[in-house]
Amino acid sequence: MNLEEYKSWLEKHANKEEEKAYEIAKTIIKAHESDWNETKADLYPRKVVKSDKERIKFDLLIKLEYIGKRTTTVYIGVEFKEYDIRKVLHQAIVRRPFVNYQYIATRFTMPEYSDLFLMAYYGLGWVVWDDDFVKILIPARMNYPVHDLYRLIKEVVKDAVRDKVREELETLTKFIYE
């Protein structure tokens, strides 16, 4: 669904913690829009992502496509809570390996130093909201999801093996014909 469809969906299904979810999603999308390519956003509220061993439920999953000569896709996870920073951090840390950017969204409250440390360590973004504002306090850091890392490692190993086999075949060919 697009941003306007998400707004309609929220009117029927929103929890108290999702009071400003539309404005939060709009702010995050704006922060991640490309200056050079068209940006298309698809939103998936309460999306369940399955891996080999886990089922992870995101409060909101945003898929951004940067459309240009080459289309690039990034996924942004958002976890909502009103005040419980410790709980939302735990949820965000668990979900972090599945997305490129992970945000928490809470009302403005004073976190513990250890909470700020966890946000920095895991590269989590923090969006704060109140009745009259929504602001990204800490931007999320880019992450390569687990499935992308496995694919990249597989490609690197495959290339290394192919290069080594070619090298060995050349050595064998020289030995045979010389």
Side-chain angles (χ1 to χ4, degrees):
M1 69 179 60
N2 65 29
L3 199 55
E4 295 308 314
E5 292 169 335
Y6 180 58
K7 186 177 186 178
S8 299
W9 183 89
L10 284 168
E11 289 171 3
K12 298 174 188 152
H13 301 98
N15 298 328
K16 181 70 174 151
E17 63 193 20
E18 296 170 318
E19 184 177 326
K20 292 284 186 175
Y22 169 77
E23 290 84 359
I24 291 166
K26 190 173 167 183
T27 301
I28 291 171
I29 290 168
K30 185 166 179 51
H32 288 273
E33 278 182 335
S34 172
D35 294 332
W36 302 280
N37 298 316
E38 176 189 347
T39 304
K40 180 184 175 219
D42 291 318
L43 290 83
Y44 304 95
R46 302 192 187 138
K47 175 72 174 168
V48 175
V49 176
K50 297 175 188 171
S51 71
D52 294 340
K53 300 174 185 174
E54 298 176 281
R55 283 181 84 243
I56 303 293
K57 183 178 177 186
F58 286 85
D59 287 343
L60 176 62
L61 184 64
I62 302 170
K63 176 184 172 185
L64 287 183
E65 290 182 318
Y66 303 113
I67 302 167
K69 288 183 179 180
R70 183 176 149 224
T71 300
T72 305
T73 303
V74 296
Y75 293 93
I76 302 170
V78 184
E79 291 301 312
F80 299 100
K81 284 284 179 273
E82 274 198 280
Y83 295 103
D84 195 349
I85 288 183
R86 185 73 36 103
K87 185 171 183 177
V88 77
L89 279 175
H90 174 74
Q91 291 173 328
I93 290 167
V94 168
R95 287 151 181 77
R96 179 75 171 128
F98 297 93
V99 292
N100 300 106
Y101 298 94
Q102 180 66 46
Y103 284 90
I104 63 169
T106 67
R107 286 187 177 268
F108 187 73
T109 184
M110 291 303 291
E112 299 289 327
Y113 286 122
S114 60
D115 297 336
L116 291 171
F117 173 76
L118 286 172
M119 283 183 228
Y121 183 80
Y122 287 101
L124 303 176
W126 185 20
V127 180
V128 295
W129 59 273
D130 209 341
D131 296 332
D132 56 350
F133 75 92
V134 171
K135 179 76 175 151
I136 295 178
L137 210 56
I138 301 173
R141 232 179 26 231
M142 177 67 161
N143 176 50
Y144 294 96
V146 173
H147 64 281
D148 285 350
L149 283 177
Y150 289 139
R151 183 178 50 79
L152 288 172
I153 291 169
K154 185 178 176 181
E155 288 175 16
V156 167
V157 169
K158 184 178 170 182
D159 290 345
V161 168
R162 184 185 65 234
D163 293 345
K164 187 66 175 168
V165 167
R166 282 185 183 155
E167 182 182 304
E168 293 297 323
L169 284 174
E170 287 175 13
T171 305
L172 182 60
T173 303
K174 285 179 183 177
F175 177 74
I176 293 173
Y177 293 111
E178 291 180 2

